[in-house]
Amino acid sequence: MSVRSSEAITDLLASTDVVQFKDIQTALDHASRATAFRYLKHVPYQRSYNHNGRYYTRQDSARYDHHGLFSCGDIHFSRDGSVSETLKRLVRESVSGLTARELQALLQVRVQVFLLDAVRHNAVTREKIGGLYVYVHTDNAVRERQLQQRREQVAARESALAKDLLTDAVIIDVLLTLLHHPEAKAADMVRYLQGHSPPISMLQVNAVYARYDLASIGKKGGG
């Protein structure tokens, strides 16, 4: 029987990207689970945060991307270990917070249950912006910076979308309606234009008002 040692696990992890626990047992001369875990404690390794932690890889900081993540096919690893710890770090480090969809795209696993648990334990908090919950830091100063950045991003996207939808026909319809309702605010204008075909949205109306500074007309007292 060969001499068992933690070096056998180190050599195994160095020889391939990922292994399963049974491979570690084999490298230790078919050791029992308890024995394999005892040797594994002396080796720097990481377990996958998906596939129920079935896969093991060597712990090497150079392998992780700027999000602290590393993948081998559909097997995913994080420098934090678990999904729960990873999403908390990602939220706290983010410039503008993260939505569940954005976190799911990064981690490539379902995250909703982990997020709700993090909010419940006050590890992160959330606020609805642009119709979506944005998960942010619990520290007040950091949270406000993240939320401000997110609001600016949402406003920029909405502005770009509105410009794409802002055709000459839309501009003319809004301006003609404004002639009949010279003191109408943007929200009023959307109501006046109900039933228009094709529909004219609040985004489009706001874009017209912004382009021609229409919000100030009523304040200035003239058309």
Side-chain angles (χ1 to χ4, degrees):
M1 182 176 67
S2 61
V3 177
R4 292 170 176 167
S5 69
S6 57
E7 283 75 15
I9 304 176
T10 301
D11 292 342
L12 172 65
L13 295 177
S15 69
T16 186
D17 286 327
V18 297
V19 300
Q20 295 188 52
F21 193 74
K22 62 183 181 181
D23 301 316
I24 294 173
Q25 291 177 286
T26 300
L28 292 172
D29 196 27
H30 304 284
S32 67
R33 289 183 64 82
T35 298
F37 274 120
R38 188 167 68 249
Y39 283 103
L40 191 59
K41 288 194 300 185
H42 303 288
V43 176
Y45 72 92
Q46 191 62 267
R47 291 180 69 174
S48 61
Y49 62 73
N50 65 337
H51 294 290
N52 295 317
R54 185 189 310 162
Y55 296 95
Y56 295 72
T57 190
R58 66 184 183 277
Q59 182 66 285
D60 181 356
S61 59
R63 306 175 83 185
Y64 296 105
D65 63 17
H66 65 285
H67 293 298
L69 306 174
F70 160 69
S71 294
C72 183
D74 69 341
I75 306 169
H76 309 305
F77 301 88
S78 165
R79 74 186 195 207
D80 306 285
S82 68
V83 173
S84 177
E85 291 302 314
T86 302
L87 67 81
K88 285 186 282 191
R89 174 182 58 80
L90 290 172
V91 166
R92 292 164 181 167
E93 292 179 351
S94 64
V95 173
S96 56
L98 290 164
T99 65
R101 180 176 295 179
E102 290 166 344
L103 280 164
Q104 189 160 307
L106 281 173
L107 297 173
Q108 301 182 60
V109 294
R110 295 181 181 276
V111 298
Q112 195 62 45
V113 172
F114 298 101
L115 282 172
L116 293 176
D117 187 65
V119 171
R120 189 178 301 115
H121 289 89
N122 201 36
V124 302
T125 188
R126 67 181 185 176
E127 184 164 326
K128 186 168 282 189
I129 298 178
L132 295 173
Y133 277 118
V134 179
Y135 294 84
V136 289
H137 208 294
T138 54
D139 179 82
N140 289 335
V142 178
R143 180 173 66 250
E144 286 308 312
R145 287 197 297 270
Q146 290 176 318
L147 291 174
Q148 181 59 32
Q149 285 287 333
R150 176 64 62 158
R151 292 186 187 103
E152 291 175 2
Q153 291 174 5
V154 170
R157 284 198 298 269
E158 289 181 347
S159 177
L161 176 61
K163 287 179 181 177
D164 289 341
L165 299 174
L166 203 58
T167 63
D168 289 342
V170 168
I171 294 172
I172 291 170
D173 286 331
V174 171
L175 294 178
L176 285 174
T177 304
L178 190 63
L179 287 176
H180 297 287
H181 307 280
E183 296 186 5
K185 294 181 173 60
D188 301 321
M189 185 62 64
V190 172
R191 288 196 296 272
Y192 293 139
L193 290 167
Q194 280 183 352
H196 188 279
S197 182
I200 295 179
S201 69
M202 177 65 85
L203 277 177
Q204 293 167 301
V205 171
N206 281 333
V208 175
Y209 269 59
R211 176 179 291 190
Y212 298 104
D213 196 22
L214 299 179
S216 64
I217 289 179
K219 298 177 184 177
K220 295 176 182 177

